[in-house]
Amino acid sequence: MPSHRHGNLSAVLLQNFVLVGFEGGPKIQALLFAVFLALYTVTFLGNLTMIVVITRDARLHSPMYFFLRNLSFLDLCYSSAIAPNALADFFSSSKAITFAGCVAQFFSLSLFATTEVLLLAVMAYDRFMAICSPLRYPVTMRPSACARLVLVCYCGGLFNTSMQTGFTFSLPFCGSNRINHFFCDVPPLLQLACADTALNELVMFGICGLVIVGTMAVILVSYGYITVTILRMHSGTGRHKLFSTCGSHLTVVFLFYGTAFVMYAQPGAVESQEQGKVISVFYTLVIPMLNPLIYSLRNKDVKEALRRLGQKQTGP
């Protein structure tokens, strides 16, 4: 690891990074551009549609859909923090990003992704209250309580993001300025630091591991009680509807948490950058694209709301 330098070269490198992105010639870059553009377009339109439908349809003004609207907003935000810059870089000769731009991108992605992890746990708690304590549900999950829960998610995301951003960008980057990734993320940035990064890795694994394990525990306990309650039901129709609703949420949970754990909560993530790029595409673009599809295709209320919205748009 090169020692810290104070010359002019270091000053220049600290002002700019280069996002290496994916290897390949012009044809490969054009193909990747088309794939990224398609993924981002579907992600943007799908999540925007969910936000509009839930906002405009009074039948969906319930705690579950309030949280789902916030989930779509987070998916829209953190995919937008990555995709536009990545699309521009496919045809850029320099692929440069300023130091401030790198910090902003890193901060935005971390904030929205961490908030989503926490929100998924809140959504599991909401389903637990609705199914296991239906009489207490209207009081426990009243609008003010739902708003506070979402606020807590953002505060938790802001705390993790502030810690990660502060620890990462306080490091001296005096060697290469080439980030072996298509966006600014912790593992590739740590590889550029010319200082001991053991504390940074400990903070990353510790906080991310605590967030993932803690929220996963809430989800597993919630769905443990939910499963027992559903199995005790005598109505096959009601049981099928609840399994369908909970199944959508669990699908999203396993997709998002699985990739987050591989990337940030196990030591090998820092060493395998090529694999990390593929996984990053999955959780920054593919999962945000799938979330509205999962909830709309498996949810009768959302499909009916989409149909009503379509009729309003095409009606006289």
Side-chain angles (χ1 to χ4, degrees), residues 208-230:
C208 292
L210 180 63
V211 170
I212 293 172
V213 173
T215 51
M216 182 59 78
V218 172
I219 292 170
L220 291 177
V221 171
S222 297
Y223 275 102
Y225 280 104
I226 288 171
T227 301
V228 172
T229 302
I230 291 177

Side-chain angles (χ1 to χ4, degrees), residues 10-152:
S10 292
V12 173
L13 293 182
L14 282 174
Q15 293 175 9
N16 294 281
F17 289 108
V18 174
L19 294 170
V20 174
F22 296 90
E23 296 180 354
K27 291 183 178 180
I28 298 297
Q29 297 301 309
L31 176 62
L32 289 172
F33 175 85
V35 171
F36 269 60
L37 181 61
L39 290 174
Y40 181 59
T41 301
V42 176
T43 298
F44 187 90
L45 294 177
N47 285 288
L48 184 61
T49 300
M50 290 294 290
I51 294 171
V52 172
V53 168
I54 294 172
T55 301
R56 295 188 60 177
D57 197 307
R59 294 177 180 86
L60 300 183
H61 291 178
S62 66
M64 182 177 78
Y65 294 108
F66 171 75
F67 294 130
L68 180 55
R69 182 174 60 183
N70 279 276
L71 179 69
S72 293
F73 174 74
L74 290 168
D75 283 337
L76 188 62
C77 287
Y78 82 74
S79 60
S80 297
I82 301 301
N85 187 77
L87 288 169
D89 280 348
F90 282 121
F91 297 109
S92 171
S93 57
S94 66
K95 298 188 177 183
I97 183 171
T98 64
F99 186 87
C102 189
V103 174
Q105 187 182 68
F106 179 95
F107 186 91
S108 300
L109 177 67
S110 180
L111 173 62
F112 295 127
T114 307
T115 303
E116 178 159 333
V117 169
L118 298 171
L119 182 63
L120 289 172
V122 168
M123 292 174 72
Y125 174 72
D126 170 70
R127 292 299 81 208
F128 162 73
M129 292 301 302
I131 296 171
C132 301
S133 300
L135 298 179
R136 296 173 51 196
Y137 182 72
V139 177
T140 304
M141 302 303 291
R142 59 190 182 276
S144 59
C146 293
R148 284 196 294 269
L149 286 171
V150 172
L151 180 60
V152 168

Side-chain angles (χ1 to χ4, degrees), residues 235-294:
S235 171
T237 303
R239 184 184 301 177
H240 174 75
K241 182 178 180 180
L242 290 175
F243 267 126
S244 177
T245 303
C246 296
S248 299
H249 181 246
L250 280 175
T251 302
V252 172
V253 165
F254 285 124
L255 287 173
F256 194 83
Y257 275 69
T259 53
F261 182 83
V262 169
M263 281 298 296
Y264 304 110
Q266 49 94 22
V270 176
E271 303 299 330
S272 51
Q273 289 303 310
E274 294 306 315
Q275 180 187 12
K277 292 178 188 179
V278 177
I279 296 172
S280 296
V281 173
F282 195 75
Y283 80 81
T284 56
L285 289 172
V286 177
I287 293 178
M289 178 192 69
L290 292 177
N291 283 355
L293 296 176
I294 291 170

